[in-house]
Amino acid sequence: MTNRKIKEAGLNPLLGYLLALTAFLLLSEYIFHKTEFAKYLVILTCLNIQFKLSEKNRTDFLLSTFGDKTKMKIRVIENFIVCTPFVSILIYKSFLFEASILFICSAILALFSFHSNFNLTIPTPFSKRPFEFSTGFRKTLFIFPFAYVLTFIAINVDNLNLGIFAFLLIFLTSLSYYHKPEQEYYVWVHAETPKAFLKNKIFNASKNVTLIAAPIIISLLVFYPSEFELILLFFIIGLLFLCTVILAKYSAYPNEMNIPEGITIAFSLYFPPLLLAIIPFFYSKSVNKLKYILND
C-alpha cells in the first residue's frame, strides 16, 4: 500500500523512501538539537503510530483475512518496521535504555487491539464546527492531562524547556486532527467561497488550540515573565504549523495528504522560515482544489 501511495504521488518508490528517510533524519537531528526531551518525543511518536496500527477494526480485518497466526506475524513485523528508525535514532544518540524500552513496548503492543472510539459521548469545549476538534479531542483526551501535569512538573523543577515541550505536545496533537480528509459533502454544505472556507477553518482551529494550550501558556508567562518573547515565539510557530497542515490537507483534497506534502512539512519543521514560502503555495493549491466544490 505504501508503494502504491508513493507511485500515486508521482515518485519512484525508491526515491520516495530515500526522501522520507532524509526528512526523518534531518527532523530528528533538529529535535535533539533543540530540546533535551527529544527522546520522549521520539518514543511518543512511535507509540502513537503503533496504536493506530492496533486499532480493533483493522486487526479484526487482518484476523478474518489471514487467520490468527498470520495476523500476529503481520502485526509483529509491522511494529518492528515502524520502531526500527525510532530505535535506531535512540541508539545513535546513546539512549540505549529508552531504545530497549521502546523495542519491548513495540513487541507487546503487537499482541493487543484497541478501540479508537468510545461509546460514551464525552463533552468537549468545542462546537460541532469544526468537527475536527470535537472528534479529535475525544480520541486524544489522555494527552491533555498529561501535558498539564508536565507543565506543573516543569514549573516545580524550574525547567522552562519541559514547559515549552508540554504546549508543543498540545500543538502536535492538534495537527493530527487534520490528517484525514472529510467526505466532499461536508465541504460542499458550506455556503462560502474557498477563501472564506479556509479562513474560517484556520481561525476556528487557532482559537480551539489556543483554548486548550492557554492554561500552559499562562502558567509559563506567570512563572517565567522574562522569557515572554521565547514563549510567544514558540506559540506563533505552533500556530503557523497548524495553518500549514490545514492548507496542506486541502491542497491535496479530496485525496489524503501524501508523501510530497509530508516531506514539505517535515523540511519546514527543520527550517521554519520555509513556512513563509510554503503557506502561500499550499493556500493557492487549496483554493484551486476547493473551487470545484464550493462557490467561487
Side-chain angles (χ1 to χ4, degrees):
M1 180 176 288
T2 305
N3 284 347
R4 191 165 66 230
K5 286 191 173 184
I6 295 174
K7 288 178 180 176
E8 288 174 355
L11 294 174
N12 179 286
L14 180 59
L15 178 61
Y17 286 120
L18 284 175
L19 286 173
L21 181 61
T22 303
F24 175 78
L25 291 175
L26 289 175
L27 186 58
S28 299
E29 281 294 331
Y30 176 77
I31 293 172
F32 276 98
H33 177 69
K34 285 294 180 182
T35 174
E36 60 185 291
F37 301 100
K39 58 185 178 182
Y40 302 119
L41 191 58
V42 168
I43 293 171
L44 281 174
T45 304
C46 182
L47 293 179
N48 184 48
I49 296 172
Q50 290 173 343
F51 268 116
K52 291 179 180 177
L53 293 175
S54 299
E55 202 278 325
K56 193 167 189 316
N57 290 335
R58 183 176 183 278
T59 54
D60 284 347
F61 170 77
L62 292 176
L63 179 63
S64 62
T65 305
F66 300 106
D68 189 44
K69 288 185 178 179
T70 306
K71 168 233 167 187
M72 191 56 66
K73 289 179 183 176
I74 292 173
R75 286 292 301 114
V76 170
I77 292 171
E78 283 179 336
N79 276 19
F80 176 74
I81 292 173
V82 169
C83 82
T84 296
F86 295 95
V87 168
S88 299
I89 200 71
L90 288 172
I91 293 174
Y92 175 70
K93 294 294 180 181
S94 302
F95 294 115
L96 300 182
F97 175 74
E98 288 81 0
S100 303
I101 293 295
L102 179 58
F103 186 81
I104 293 170
C105 288
S106 299
I108 294 173
L109 274 178
L111 306 178
F112 296 95
S113 301
F114 302 95
H115 284 286
S116 61
N117 295 314
F118 298 102
N119 292 325
L120 176 65
T121 301
I122 300 172
T124 77
F126 316 112
S127 67
K128 294 180 180 177
R129 291 186 61 187
F131 68 91
E132 291 93 344
F133 264 82
S134 297
T135 55
F137 181 83
R138 292 186 176 106
K139 290 180 179 177
T140 58
L141 185 63
F142 67 96
I143 293 286
F144 306 112
F146 176 68
Y148 297 148
V149 170
L150 275 184
T151 307
F152 174 78
I153 295 172
I155 294 171
N156 202 35
V157 300
D158 193 21
N159 190 326
L160 176 61
N161 287 336
L162 182 58
I164 290 176
F165 172 75
F167 88 72
L168 289 180
L169 184 61
I170 298 285
F171 274 95
L172 286 173
T173 304
S174 301
L175 297 182
S176 69
Y177 301 164
Y178 291 88
H179 177 62
K180 293 278 186 183
E182 65 269 43
Q183 293 181 7
E184 289 188 32
Y185 173 77
Y186 293 106
V187 175
W188 176 81
V189 294
H190 292 268
E192 300 168 325
T193 65
K195 292 179 181 178
F197 174 82
L198 291 171
K199 178 184 173 184
N200 287 332
K201 278 281 180 181
I202 293 170
F203 172 77
N204 284 318
S206 302
K207 180 185 66 176
N208 290 339
V209 76
T210 302
L211 179 65
I212 302 174
I216 298 176
I217 296 172
I218 293 172
S219 299
L220 294 180
L221 289 174
V222 168
F223 285 93
Y224 300 96
S226 61
E227 302 292 344
F228 172 83
E229 293 179 351
L230 179 66
I231 296 168
L232 184 62
L233 176 64
F234 273 101
F235 176 65
I236 292 173
I237 290 176
L239 289 179
L240 286 175
F241 273 109
L242 182 62
C243 172
T244 303
V245 169
I246 293 172
L247 293 175
K249 170 187 171 182
Y250 289 105
S251 72
Y253 196 81
N255 299 317
E256 190 175 333
M257 275 194 287
N258 214 317
I259 290 175
E261 291 82 14
I263 290 176
T264 304
I265 294 171
F267 274 107
S268 63
L269 281 169
Y270 183 73
F271 188 60
L274 278 177
L275 291 174
L276 298 177
I278 291 171
I279 289 176
F281 172 70
F282 279 148
Y283 177 77
S284 177
K285 283 190 68 177
S286 299
V287 170
N288 286 330
K289 290 279 186 178
L290 291 171
K291 69 181 181 182
Y292 298 105
I293 303 172
L294 297 168
N295 295 321
D296 192 6

